[in-house]
């Protein structure tokens, strides 16, 4: 990964961030926030600039994305061309084996770029990227097309839900281009074929593939450095999991919800799907080890308290430094399946991936577009979902954190929706946190929460025709945890649902939203009492400054 250069970059960014925190703490240099262009600057921004890592309503997401949100992705040397392995752009030859052979060869070589030239390449199987530092690059989304003829049910088998019922898990998992570490992918597929529906995250199918590296002393949310009991198995650049278990009183879930009387009064014990998501597992790289002090490349997402048995652990393996660029994945056009019965004409999915990316990718005629499943610190840039209509155009689940989805488009469907189908939008669920959706053009869909207490996520500078619906059953718990922020959102059809969240999300913020009204799916708050949520510059369109919360945090 060019680790030496990455460490320098992390140190410089970390130093800048700590400097901001020092200014906030001392009160000196009150003008630390960057000068804003003309427009309306909300009080919330001025508050955040003074305390960026600990603001009660707005999360710090300035380090979201691959390599801390780097503007440029790594350029790997070209090591293979798929045509040298037998791929033919004739639209009839099955090129999946050839493409996978080229990708595997790049993996054996230690990484590199695999080129797909212009043309249409038929694939009758899925494409797997399972080794670090491998990049699959087409000639551009308008020039290179992979035409997929089969779905994941045909290629792997039926995939039921671990929570029972007749649902198909291909409705929210897997991709016809699937980026996941080879060993993890093999274990997942073996479990699916055996009917042992797995957990899909960092610690294996039964969540037992981890070892303790060290326990962690108490620390506060927003801290960059923690004190640990033992550093002998820790080193700079290492990817570890911060693991937080819950206690019998569910105080961890209460903390994710902002704390106070509302979350304390909420009934957690019967939310069995939600409680199955705990422990909370947060992947992060170590930036520095000094004595018993460990500094991370990002600030702590939550408090670290002894009652949650905090520890740094190993994980089942990660895919790092891999990417996909410059192509269209088009599935054979079939009618959209009835809700939760998707066959798996899915687009691109990142699973157990860290510091990976997609750039200039279009998916067409898919059941589900782009997936983040137990994926963290990944960037999806210049992506587009097109064609006959999707169940989940974008899904972010199973404890996915610190991801950046920017310059994204959900096109209007090309055919009417069949009966009994469902459209969601940009989905987040399952304790996923600190993810950002930025610069979006949503011609259909909604800001979908599937419950499961996602928290501290940001949607900013997005235009949306708010005609989708959210999902999630009652056992998955609340729609929102604390520190959700909707910043500069333009709703073209005037529907409030899941856009104006000051009456739904605790300790959250809705800032710079045009006037909207309640109709269609109308929700009630999960928590009683004062939500401590903020609403500012309501009834405005695009006058807020800074215009994009994520970009402003990076400048800060």
């Amino acid at each position: 990964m060019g680790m030496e250069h990455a460490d320098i970059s992390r140190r410089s960014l970390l130093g800048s961030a700590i400097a901001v925190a020092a200014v906030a703490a001392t009160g000196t240099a009150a003008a630390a926030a960057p000068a804003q262009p003309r427009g309306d600057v909300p009080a919330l921004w001025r508050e955040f600039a003074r305390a960026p890592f600990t603001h009660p309503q707005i999360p710090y997401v300035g380090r979201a994305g691959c390599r801390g949100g780097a503007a440029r992705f790594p350029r790997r040397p070209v090591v293979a061309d798929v045509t040298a392995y037998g791929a033919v752009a004739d639209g009839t030859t099955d090129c999946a084996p050839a493409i996978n052979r080229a990708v595997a060869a790049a993996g054996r070589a230690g990484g590199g770029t695999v080129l797909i030239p212009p043309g249409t390449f038929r694939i009758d199987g899925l494409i797997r990227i399972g080794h670090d530092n491998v990049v699959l690059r087409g000639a551009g989304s308008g020039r290179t097309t992979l035409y997929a003829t089969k779905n994941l049910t045909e290629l792997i088998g039926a995939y039921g839900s671990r929570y029972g019922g007749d649902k198909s898990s291909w409705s929210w998992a897997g991709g016809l281009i699937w980026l996941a570490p080879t060993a993890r992918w093999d274990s997942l597929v073996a479990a699916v074929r055996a009917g042992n529906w797995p957990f899909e995250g960092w610690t294996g199918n039964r969540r037992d593939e981890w070892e303790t590296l060290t326990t962690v002393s108490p620390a506060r949310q927003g801290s960059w450095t923690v004190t640990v009991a033992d550093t002998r198995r820790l080193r700079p650049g290492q990817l570890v999991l911060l693991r937080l278990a819950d206690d019998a009183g569910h105080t961890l879930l209460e903390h994710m919800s902002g704390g106070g009387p509302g979350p304390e009064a909420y009934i957690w014990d019967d939310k069995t799907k939600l409680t199955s998501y705990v422990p909370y597992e947060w992947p992060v790289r170590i930036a520095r080890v000094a004595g018993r002090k460990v500094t991370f490349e990002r600030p702590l997402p939550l408090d670290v308290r002894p009652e949650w048995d905090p520890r740094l652990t190993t994980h089942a393996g990660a895919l790092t430094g891999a990417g996909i660029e410059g192509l269209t994945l088009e599935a054979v056009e079939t009618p959209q399946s009835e809700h939760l019965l998707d066959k798996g004409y899915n687009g691109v999915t990142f699973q157990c991936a860290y510091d990976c990316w997609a750039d200039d990718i279009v998916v067409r005629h898919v059941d589900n577009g782009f997936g983040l499943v137990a994926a963290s610190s990944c960037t999806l840039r210049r992506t587009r979902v097109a064609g006959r209509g999707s169940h989940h155009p974008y899904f972010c689940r199973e404890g996915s954190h610190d991801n950046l989805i920017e310059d994204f488009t959900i096109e209007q469907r090309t055919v009417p929706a069949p009966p009994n189908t469902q459209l969601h939008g940009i989905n987040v669920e399952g304790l996923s946190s600190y993810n950002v959706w930025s610069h979006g053009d949503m011609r259909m869909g909604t800001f979908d929460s599937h419950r499961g207490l996602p928290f501290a996520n940001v949607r900013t500078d997005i235009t949306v025709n708010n005609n989708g619906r959210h999902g999630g059953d009652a056992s998955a718990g609340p729609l929102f945890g604390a520190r959700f922020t909707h910043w500069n959102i333009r709703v073209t059809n005037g529907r409030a649902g899941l856009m104006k969240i000051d009456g739904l999300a605790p300790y959250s913020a809705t800032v710079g939203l045009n006037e909207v009204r309640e109709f269609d799916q109308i929700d009630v708050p999960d928590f009683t009492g004062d939500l401590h949520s903020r609403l500012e510059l309501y009834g405005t369109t695009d006058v807020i400054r800074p215009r994009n919360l994520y970009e402003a945090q990076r400048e800060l």
Side-chain angles (χ1 to χ4, degrees), residues 17 20-21 24 47-55 58-61 553 556:
V20 171
E47 294 173 12
F48 177 84
R50 291 193 294 268
F53 309 129
T54 57
H55 193 276
I58 298 177
Y60 175 73
V61 292
Q553 289 196 18
L556 184 66

Side-chain angles (χ1 to χ4, degrees), residues 27-277:
T28 60
Q36 301 301 326
R38 293 175 67 94
D40 292 339
V41 180
L44 272 164
W45 172 251
R46 301 185 193 279
E47 294 173 12
F48 177 84
R50 291 193 294 268
F53 309 129
T54 57
H55 193 276
Q57 280 91 12
I58 298 177
Y60 175 73
V61 292
R63 298 279 285 145
C66 175
R67 295 162 64 93
R72 296 181 180 179
F73 301 120
R75 301 294 289 181
R76 311 285 187 215
V78 175
V79 296
D81 186 308
V82 298
T83 58
Y85 289 80
V88 182
D90 59 7
T92 59
T93 302
D94 176 17
C95 298
I99 295 171
N100 283 323
R101 285 194 296 270
V103 169
R108 290 193 298 271
T113 297
V114 176
L115 295 180
I116 310 178
T120 296
F121 297 82
R122 172 173 169 159
I123 56 171
D124 296 340
L126 63 90
I127 305 302
R128 294 173 50 192
I129 299 176
H131 292 90
D132 294 350
N133 304 321
V134 172
V135 179
L136 183 63
R137 181 186 301 153
S141 61
R143 302 182 67 201
T144 297
T145 297
L146 302 183
Y147 180 67
T149 64
K150 295 185 179 181
N151 57 59
L152 294 169
T153 301
E154 294 173 286
L155 297 171
I156 295 175
Y159 185 5
S161 169
R162 66 179 182 248
Y163 299 104
D166 59 356
K167 303 171 185 176
S168 167
S169 284
W170 298 129
S171 301
W172 55 76
L176 292 171
I177 300 177
W178 201 333
L179 294 90
T182 296
R184 189 73 188 92
W185 191 90
D186 289 344
S187 70
L188 285 164
V189 170
V192 170
R193 287 176 171 160
N196 298 323
W197 316 131
F199 285 93
E200 300 155 276
W202 290 97
T203 49
N205 295 347
R206 294 184 300 274
R207 299 194 74 176
D208 58 358
E209 297 176 39
W210 58 276
E211 298 177 13
T212 297
L213 296 170
T214 183
T215 55
V216 183
S217 298
R220 296 300 301 273
Q221 173 206 321
S223 301
W224 294 71
T225 298
V226 297
T227 301
V228 301
D230 186 355
T231 60
R232 286 176 295 177
R233 298 180 65 185
L234 306 179
R235 66 183 187 281
Q238 181 181 3
L239 182 65
V240 297
L241 292 185
L242 172 65
R243 185 179 191 272
L244 300 176
D246 206 355
D247 59 10
H250 300 295
T251 59
L252 176 62
L253 296 176
E254 291 174 3
H255 176 54
M256 292 174 179
S257 306
E264 289 172 4
Y266 185 79
I267 298 173
W268 301 97
D269 285 330
D270 63 349
K271 308 305 185 296
T272 53
K273 181 179 284 190
L274 171 62
T275 54
S276 77
Y277 298 151

Side-chain angles (χ1 to χ4, degrees), residues 273-291:
K273 181 179 284 190
L274 171 62
T275 54
S276 77
Y277 298 151
V278 182
Y280 176 80
E281 295 167 338
W282 182 59
V284 67
R285 286 199 193 281
I286 295 173
R288 184 165 58 249
V289 179

Side-chain angles (χ1 to χ4, degrees), residues 6-26:
D7 282 346
I8 292 171
S9 175
R10 276 195 290 273
R11 284 196 296 270
S12 63
L13 286 169
L14 180 63
S16 299
I18 292 173
V20 171
V23 167
T26 62

